Each structure stands twice: as C-alpha cells, then as structure tokens.
Amino acid sequence: MTSPRAIKGMNDVLPDEIGRWQLIERTYARTMSLHGFREVRTPCVEATPLFVRTMGEATDVVEKEMYSFTHHDEALSLRPEGTAGAARAYIEHAVHAREPVTRWWYAGPMFRAERPQRGRYRQFAQLGAEVFGDEGPGCDAEMISMLFGFLTEIGVPGLEVFVNTIGAAETRIRYRQALLDYLTPKAAGLSADSQRRLASNPLRILDSKDERDKEATRDAPTLHDFLDAGDRGHFATLRTYLDALGTPYTVDARLVRGLDYYTRTLFEIKGAPERLGAGSTIVGGGRYDGMVAELGGPPVAAIGFAAGLERLLIATDASPAGQVIDALVAPLGPDAMGPGLALARELRALGIRCEIDTRGSSIKSQLRRGNALGARVVLILGESELSDDSVQVKDLEARTEERMARGQALRIVADRLMAASRTVDSQGPGFRKATP
Ligand code: HAM
C-alpha cells in the first residue's frame, strides 16, 4: 500500500518553519491591538448561500473554487475568505446594538480549489480585519497606512500600494451597462473566459491578464466617469489623508478585484516581485458598505482586508532567533532523574524554556542536544552534585563552567537569560531582521 500524502495544494507546516509563522502572526496581532482591533474567530464552515450572496454568483471563487458539500440536506462550504463569516457573526450577535464602531481582526485557514503554484494553495492562511460602522475615508486611509507599516516592519521589500474607487452599487450598474455597450461589438476578439464574463460579470474583463482582453479594453469607458459627487469626495479625501500620513500609493483606475461585494474604496498591496512574481498580490481589501444590510442587518458601512500569510512568508526573510530552549537539564544516572525533573520545573516557573533529557543518555550526547536546540546553559546533575545539592552550570555561550548551590544556580541562570532577553516573558514580538 502506498503511504498517505497530503492533499494537493494543502501543506504541512513543520516545527522548523513554525517560528516564522508565529513571528508574523505575533507582529500582526500586536499591530492590530495597537490600532484598537480585537480578535474574532468564526467557523471554517458556513452555509453555502452566505458566500454566494456576498461574494457573488458569477465570481471565480464561487463559480469554480469553493469546497462545497451537502450534509443532512444543508448546503455547506469551507470558507474561501473571512469577510462573509465576520459579517454574518456581526449581524447574528447584534454587535451594532452594543458598539457604534467594531474593529475585528482574524487569522486562520481559508480554502479555494485553485490550481496550486508558488504562493497559491488550496488551503492557505489569511490575516484579515474588518471594521463595521465607520464610513469615513479616514478609516480607509488609516487601514492602508497601518498595512504599509506592518509589511515594512516584517521586511517585505518593494511595496506598492494601489488604490481605486468603484463607487456605490448604483454607479456600478450604470457603468456595467456602458461597458457592455462598448465591449459587445468586440466580443469575438475577447478571450473565452471574458466572452463568458461579458454576460455574467463584465467588470472582471478589466482585470484580465490576457493580451486580447487588454487590447479590447484599452479605450473602454472608465468607471471614474460614472462616479457621483459623494464617491469622488470620499476618494479625494482618502488620498489627502494618505498623503498626510506619507503612505505612498498609486491610483489604478482598472483595479476592480474579484468579489462582488465591494463599494467605493478598493486597494491592493504588492511586494517582493522577485520572489512572488510581479502580479502577485499580498493584501487585498476594500469597502463593502452594502453587505450588512443585504444580509438582513442594519445599514452599517464596512471595510476590510486580508493578507495571504504564505505569501508574506515568501516575501520576507524575517525569522525569529533560532533557539528552541534556553536551558537543558542533564541528569547523569537514574538517581539524578527525580531531582532533575524538579529542577526543570523550577526553571520553567521562572519563564525559562527548558528541556530535560529523560532517556539516560551520556553527557556527550546531552551536550550535543543542548547545542542543537540552541540552549544557552546546561545544568548538569551528577553523583557529586546530588551529594551536596549543587549543580554544575555550563554556559555554552560564555564557555564557562561552575559548580554552585542549587538555589544560587537558579538565580544566576535566570539573571543571565533575562539579561539576554531569553526568557519566554521577555521575548515579546521582536525578531531578527532580514539581512539587507
Ligand atoms: P482576496 O483578494 O480574495 O480578498 O484575498 C486576499 C489575499 O489572500 C490575497 O491577496 C492573497 O494574498 C491571499 N490569497 C488568496 N487566495 C489565495 C490562495 N489560493 N493561496 C494563497 N493565498 C491566497 C479576500 O479574501 C477578501 N475577504 C479581503 C477583504 C476583507 N475585503 C474586505 N474585507
């Protein structure tokens, strides 16, 4: 029998890589907390109609990429994104009745049956956020600027922010018709995908990478010609705030994004083109002022974004200091095991990451393990140490070795590790910066 393998496009993250994931997650959680966001966790499975109603029937995700199934006559889907579930939870728990403005962030797995390639997977993790109850352009500008700061902090090179506005839903209906009138006579020259989209979702044709579609849409009317005064004002103000914050951006009038729920502001951030490929988006987001009401909630404006965590990992070298433990307790012989276990427990109570070799290995092999795990000190308990309640403290970094009383050893080791910021509590969100 062949041995089992993971499903195509779904990846294991082994402990050697997890430090980088946790580092980015930690930095993200800290950024969000600094901006007044609180974490929300919604289920990985939702009723299929929730996604169809919000993301839109004629979008790639809903048409081709959802993992949907029926269970006891209920149509369910693995979530392809987090916005619909967050809006559902916001309405279901009547959060608007308690809070005028709600700021939520989330991190977790999403599922899309896409063709797997570098940076594109079938299970991937998003770091996302949604704000409900703030329709002002200051909210949009702060979000974009916050993301720019976060991506800079984790060391993503070559950042480019693209912003656009697609106006309110009515604007898009009028524009859609104008685009249809313009493209219908050119239909035969479009790619097969775009010919299909002409009937279902013509705005997506503007997003196409196919040269035939680019050619056909080169002189198409732009959505900006159809915007009303409110849309224009919102976008102009957003731009002044981004300027005031010193966040660089480019207006991309062709940016439409692939989901139907958006209104007004859209944005995407690209980066690390040498690693991800020039077209690869790290963060996508925008306003969706109509969604909450459409789902049966109050008329509450909303805006949000999501970043692909795997793409961030490809885009940056940021990695945590590579130590798994701070101290190794090395008992020599069976009599030392009991006192060794107690010593390890005392070290951990001081916030010191500690492992004890419980296999009864030789001192040589224990020291090798201490080195491999990045321990700074090894506390050796042999027969003579047991006889007078002392410990041999071997400092692998300072290359010193001292025998001292057990109580003194605990104090000295804790002080030394604290000074080197090497206790669990002193580690915080810091990380080793990428080498330039
Ligand atoms: P999205 O553009 O579909 O937006 O996805 C956001 C990000 O998730 C992408 O920029 C990319 O980094 C990552 N991503 C998407 N698909 C994959 C994949 N198959 N493999 C790896 N990474 C992927 C949304 O999901 C919206 N919910 C964002 C939003 C929140 N808009 C408003 N609020």
Side-chain angles (χ1 to χ4, degrees):
M1 210 175 94
T2 54
S3 49
R5 299 184 66 94
I7 291 165
K8 200 168 158 219
M10 303 198 179
N11 302 307
D12 300 310
V13 183
L14 298 180
D16 277 350
E17 303 160 65
I18 207 77
R20 300 192 66 224
W21 283 68
Q22 290 173 339
L23 176 62
I24 292 183
E25 286 163 351
R26 221 163 42 224
T27 311
Y28 180 67
R30 179 171 176 275
T31 304
M32 300 317 287
S33 175
L34 280 171
H35 288 79
F37 284 73
R38 295 190 301 161
E39 185 181 0
V40 66
R41 298 187 188 187
T42 63
C44 286
V45 181
E46 299 270 0
T48 302
L50 174 70
F51 299 117
V52 179
R53 280 171 70 184
T54 53
M55 302 173 80
E57 215 162 344
T59 52
D60 282 352
V61 178
V62 168
E63 258 183 1
K64 302 188 266 195
E65 296 166 3
M66 287 221 290
Y67 285 98
S68 299
F69 55 99
T70 307
H71 183 74
H72 291 311
D73 292 335
E74 207 177 356
L76 303 173
S77 294
L78 300 187
R79 62 178 181 189
E81 56 112 50
T83 310
R88 195 251 329 121
Y90 175 81
I91 298 165
E92 186 170 335
H93 301 284
V95 180
H96 67 277
R98 299 193 292 279
E99 304 176 355
V101 177
T102 298
R103 291 166 171 247
W104 281 352
W105 70 266
Y106 51 87
M110 308 291 161
F111 304 85
R112 296 185 193 177
E114 298 196 73
R115 199 168 54 78
Q117 59 191 70
R118 185 173 165 78
R120 188 178 299 283
Y121 311 102
R122 292 184 168 172
Q123 175 174 333
F124 59 99
Q126 279 189 343
L127 302 176
E130 316 292 344
V131 176
F132 299 100
D134 187 343
E135 62 180 355
C139 182
D140 312 18
E142 185 174 55
M143 184 173 274
I144 294 168
S145 173
M146 168 184 80
L147 282 162
F148 193 83
F150 165 66
L151 296 170
T152 305
E153 183 179 354
I154 63 170
V156 180
L159 288 177
E160 279 189 291
V161 178
F162 298 95
V163 296
N164 191 24
T165 178
I166 52 169
E170 309 80 61
T171 310
R172 273 213 310 292
I173 293 169
R174 284 188 290 124
Y175 176 60
R176 186 191 144 109
Q177 191 53 52
L179 196 60
L180 268 180
D181 294 345
Y182 180 85
L183 286 176
T184 305
K186 300 176 186 289
L190 295 172
S191 68
D193 253 359
S194 290
Q195 290 188 18
R196 203 172 37 80
R197 286 192 183 126
L198 201 53
S200 59
N201 196 355
L203 261 70
R204 284 304 309 265
I205 301 175
L206 298 173
D207 232 6
S208 168
K209 306 275 180 291
D210 191 296
E211 283 307 322
R212 287 167 294 176
D213 301 335
K214 284 189 182 167
E215 177 60 32
T217 55
R218 196 175 312 278
D219 299 317
T222 78
L223 205 145
H224 284 205
D225 302 331
F226 291 77
L227 295 175
D228 67 24
D231 297 334
R232 284 176 200 278
H234 186 99
F235 194 51
T237 313
L238 155 65
R239 293 181 58 183
T240 62
Y241 293 156
L242 284 176
D243 293 339
L245 287 165
T247 305
Y249 64 91
T250 305
V251 176
D252 176 3
R254 294 171 84 89
L255 177 66
V256 290
R257 299 200 24 79
L259 309 170
D260 273 7
Y261 51 61
Y262 289 115
T263 54
R264 292 197 161 166
T265 311
L266 292 182
F267 58 89
E268 283 189 350
I269 306 182
K270 299 185 197 294
E274 299 83 21
R275 294 173 175 214
L276 277 164
S280 186
T281 304
I282 303 177
V283 183
R287 282 208 158 268
Y288 49 99
D289 290 341
M291 186 199 291
V292 175
E294 272 158 33
L295 288 177
V300 165
I303 180 168
F305 68 84
L309 186 42
E310 288 86 350
R311 291 190 192 176
L312 294 177
L313 287 163
I314 296 172
T316 165
D317 289 327
S319 64
Q323 301 120 352
V324 180
I325 55 168
D326 307 309
L328 181 81
V329 174
L332 303 179
D335 291 347
M337 191 58 73
L341 288 165
L343 179 62
R345 190 172 59 184
E346 283 175 83
L347 287 163
R348 291 179 190 124
L350 296 171
I352 295 167
R353 294 174 301 172
C354 175
E355 196 184 287
I356 172 166
D357 189 313
T358 47
R359 297 170 307 169
S361 328
S362 69
I363 180 67
K364 202 167 148 207
S365 122
Q366 297 202 43
L367 286 173
R368 214 180 303 127
R369 177 144 179 93
N371 262 315
L373 295 174
R376 162 92 190 254
V377 289
V378 180
L379 294 102
I380 302 163
L381 285 173
E383 249 174 59
S384 54
E385 285 82 10
L386 287 181
S387 66
D388 63 359
D389 202 21
S390 67
V391 185
Q392 186 80 10
V393 177
K394 194 173 170 66
D395 189 322
L396 298 179
E397 212 171 282
R399 295 176 188 280
T400 57
E401 195 162 343
E402 285 169 83
R403 186 163 158 183
M404 56 187 91
R406 182 193 168 92
Q408 190 195 4
L410 277 170
R411 237 183 358 265
I412 286 183
V413 166
D415 286 351
R416 224 177 268 178
L417 292 171
M418 194 84 75
S421 294
R422 279 199 52 166
T423 62
V424 166
D425 302 329
S426 63
Q427 289 200 342
F431 53 83
R432 196 167 58 199
K433 287 269 178 6
T435 35

